Amino acid sequence: QVQLVESGGGLVQPGGSLRLSCAASGRFFSMRAMGWYRQAPGKQRELVATITSGGSTNYADPVKGRFTISRDNAKKSVYLQMNNLKPEDTAVYYCNAEFLVYGSASYGNYWGQGTQVTVSS
């Protein structure tokens, strides 16, 4: 069974930085797009950034120029470097990835358990 485990969340002051990591474990045949989403209290989960297997990236407008997504296919990991953090970035951040597992005919969508990011002075 494939699992995604996030780490790196925490409390940071406005203007500070954090780096989130997400590592995949388990057996799978192929890993496709990976990404980060976030959910603030009382709001729906929203896209933060995605990265394809070829390295093409996409960012939500509120984080453009401040956040950078990257991946290491050999380590089965995706990262989110967050700079110049703002209070409105406070949310639970979720890792997401598409895997083709053995015995399956199509890619499945998998989520991590989430990591809390709080931006406050």
Side-chain angles (χ1 to χ4, degrees):
Q1 183 169 344
V2 177
Q3 289 187 321
L4 294 169
V5 179
E6 302 104 333
S7 60
L11 172 65
V12 63
Q13 292 186 342
S17 298
L18 281 176
R19 185 176 189 247
L20 304 183
S21 299
C22 173
S25 63
R27 297 183 70 244
F28 53 89
F29 182 74
S30 176
M31 185 170 66
R32 204 161 59 180
M34 305 185 82
W36 291 93
Y37 291 72
R38 68 186 181 186
Q39 187 167 18
K43 295 187 177 181
Q44 290 189 331
R45 191 173 297 188
E46 63 178 9
L47 168 74
V48 176
T50 61
I51 184 167
T52 68
S53 56
S56 296
T57 58
N58 177 57
Y59 296 92
D61 286 342
V63 308
K64 283 181 180 177
R66 300 188 298 122
F67 292 10
T68 302
I69 189 171
S70 61
R71 63 190 285 168
D72 186 331
N73 292 330
K75 294 183 178 180
K76 299 180 287 185
S77 295
V78 63
Y79 309 96
L80 187 68
Q81 177 66 44
M82 304 185 293
N83 298 327
N84 190 21
L85 283 159
K86 304 176 180 181
E88 51 264 41
D89 294 318
T90 295
V92 177
Y93 284 70
Y94 296 90
C95 174
N96 173 268
E98 298 175 324
F99 295 98
L100 180 62
V101 300
Y102 292 101
S104 178
S106 61
Y107 280 84
N109 202 29
Y110 292 78
W111 293 90
Q113 82 287 353
T115 185
Q116 177 70 47
V117 172
T118 303
V119 184
S120 175
S121 55

